[in-house]
């Protein structure tokens, strides 16, 4: 059985004081039975991570956290960048790699993302590797092969023990922040294709155990139908994760399935 993961990507929102308030509210909006059933993770901006760490440790919250991006380099003259070892030192469990906003706004290539995946894995954290097609590709009907290519290129040369540690997120670009959610069937189609490809890239076991998330306008009103899909193991939530009560409602999807 794959354990569900609900991940909240705050993007460039909430300063460190707001981060403390939102994390506290989230923790108190959830019960032990929710944490027993679902892994809950948040992805604050870099400047919030130390405050979130202190709160999670001090209050022993069952919330994990990670970073939204990482440098592929170990250390040195890379002004403005943050290394994987710095994130590990803050007890980050996860790092998002290849979010479509980084691919589009910062021109991140599959080759660069492959190096970022390696950096995260070398520091013993779990990458959440994002893949997904833009609207033109969806409309041309090429979405499955496009996403599978992104997967293959990103994972090039990675060995099986590393593949086991990666979490995958299918995020169709046209559904991010637009209010247009993919239908549960759209999400299932691509998540199933990712799982099938993971047999070839890794093994049957790696494929069966891989957690594959869906992301793109997820909210409490659509999470249940999305989570009912056989190959969807969780969600990467943007906008709706900024509102702790709404994010908590999303994390409670398991109560009704
Ligand atoms: P959204 O963002 O939920 O606001 O659509 C999802 C994401 O970008 O991870």
């Amino acid at each position: 059985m794959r354990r569900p993961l609900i991940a909240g990507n705050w993007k460039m929102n909430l300063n460190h004081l707001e981060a403390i308030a939102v994390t506290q509210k989230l923790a108190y909006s959830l019960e032990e039975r929710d944490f027993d059933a679902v892994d809950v993770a948040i992805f604050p901006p870099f400047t919030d991570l130390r405050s979130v760490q202190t709160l999670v440790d001090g209050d022993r919250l069952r919330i994990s956290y990670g970073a939204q991006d990482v440098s592929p380099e170990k250390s040195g003259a890379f002004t403005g960048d943050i290394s994987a070892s710095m994130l590990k030192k803050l007890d980050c469990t996860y790092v998002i790699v290849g979010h479509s906003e980084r691919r589009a706004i910062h021109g991140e290539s599959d080759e660069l993302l492959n190096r970022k995946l390696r950096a995260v894995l070398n520091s013993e954290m779990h990458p959440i590797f994002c893949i997904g097609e833009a609207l033109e590709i969806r409309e041309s009907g090429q979405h499955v092969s496009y996403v599978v290519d992104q997967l293959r290129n990103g994972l090039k040369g990675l060995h099986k023990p590393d593949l086991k540690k990666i979490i995958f997120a299918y995020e169709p670009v046209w559904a991010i922040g637009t209010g247009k959610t993919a239908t549960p069937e759209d999400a299932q189609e691509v998540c199933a294709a990712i799982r099938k490809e993971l047999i070839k890239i890794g093994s049957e076991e790696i494929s069966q155990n891989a957690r594959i998330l869906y992301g793109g306008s997820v909210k409490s009103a659509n999470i249940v139908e999305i989570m009912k899909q056989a190959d969807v193991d969780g969600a990467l939530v943007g906008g709706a994760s900024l509102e702790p009560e709404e994010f908590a409602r999303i994390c409670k999807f398991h109560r009704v399935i």
Side-chain angles (χ1 to χ4, degrees), residues 9 11 99 171 175-177 216-218 236-239:
N9 172 15
K11 310 192 179 184
H99 190 279
E171 296 207 307
I176 295 179
S217 298
V218 171
L236 184 52
V237 184

Side-chain angles (χ1 to χ4, degrees), residues 3 18 23 27 32 36 44-45 53 79 89 93 131 147 208-209:
R3 200 174 147 78
E18 293 163 334
T23 307
E32 293 304 320
D36 289 343
Q53 179 196 29
T79 303
K89 196 74 184 163
T93 304
I131 48 187
V147 171
Q208 277 314 310
N209 291 328

Side-chain angles (χ1 to χ4, degrees), residues 2-242:
R2 298 182 292 265
R3 200 174 147 78
L5 168 63
I6 302 291
N9 172 15
W10 292 0
K11 310 192 179 184
M12 196 171 72
N13 295 291
L14 307 178
N15 64 39
H16 73 285
L17 299 174
E18 293 163 334
I20 293 169
V22 167
T23 307
Q24 263 165 344
K25 242 189 198 165
L26 173 62
Y28 297 117
S29 304
L30 292 167
E31 295 173 22
E32 293 304 320
R33 60 176 166 147
D34 301 311
F35 292 115
D36 289 343
V38 177
D39 285 342
V40 177
I42 52 174
F43 294 79
F46 291 131
T47 49
D48 298 0
L49 286 172
R50 177 63 172 159
S51 305
V52 169
Q53 179 196 29
T54 305
L55 176 65
V56 166
D57 275 3
D59 289 1
R60 294 172 196 263
L61 305 183
R62 293 175 73 184
I63 293 175
S64 48
Y65 53 89
Q68 300 171 15
D69 183 36
V70 67
S71 169
E73 307 293 344
K74 281 203 172 80
S75 64
F78 302 99
T79 303
D81 287 347
I82 301 289
S83 72
S85 65
M86 293 170 178
L87 298 174
K88 179 66 182 174
K89 196 74 184 163
L90 288 164
D91 288 334
C92 285
T93 304
Y94 310 100
V95 180
I96 297 174
V97 172
H99 190 279
S100 63
E101 285 149 19
R102 300 235 34 114
R103 291 178 188 259
I105 303 167
H106 300 274
E108 296 195 355
S109 65
D110 290 341
E111 293 69 33
L112 175 69
L113 298 176
N114 181 272
R115 293 179 60 220
K116 290 190 176 196
L117 288 173
R118 290 168 191 267
V120 174
L121 292 162
N122 288 339
S123 286
E124 284 161 16
M125 296 177 290
H126 296 277
I128 298 188
F129 182 42
C130 301
I131 48 187
E133 81 286 355
L135 187 60
E136 317 83 78
I137 295 162
R138 161 75 47 175
E139 284 174 344
S140 72
Q142 301 297 303
H143 51 284
V144 171
S145 61
Y146 181 88
V147 171
V148 165
D149 278 353
Q150 280 184 325
L151 181 73
R152 289 198 149 277
N153 293 337
L155 300 184
K156 215 166 256 173
L158 293 182
H159 297 302
K160 288 182 185 174
D162 278 340
L163 293 174
K164 286 184 188 164
K165 297 179 189 140
I166 302 175
I167 295 161
F168 302 89
Y170 168 54
E171 296 207 307
V173 179
W174 47 272
I176 295 179
T178 57
K180 277 189 206 163
T181 330
T183 64
E185 295 73 26
D186 289 338
Q188 168 59 20
E189 179 194 28
V190 181
C191 291
I194 293 170
R195 195 175 306 286
K196 199 165 151 213
E197 194 64 21
L198 286 172
I199 303 176
K200 291 191 217 154
I201 301 172
S203 65
E204 180 68 43
E205 189 207 345
I206 287 171
S207 161
Q208 277 314 310
N209 291 328
R211 291 200 283 184
I212 306 176
L213 316 182
Y214 166 77
S217 298
V218 171
K219 33 191 180 296
S220 58
N222 56 29
I223 185 69
V224 171
E225 290 310 309
I226 291 167
M227 289 306 295
K228 279 185 185 163
Q229 305 304 310
D231 289 294
V232 179
D233 306 312
L236 184 52
V237 184
S241 71
L242 298 173

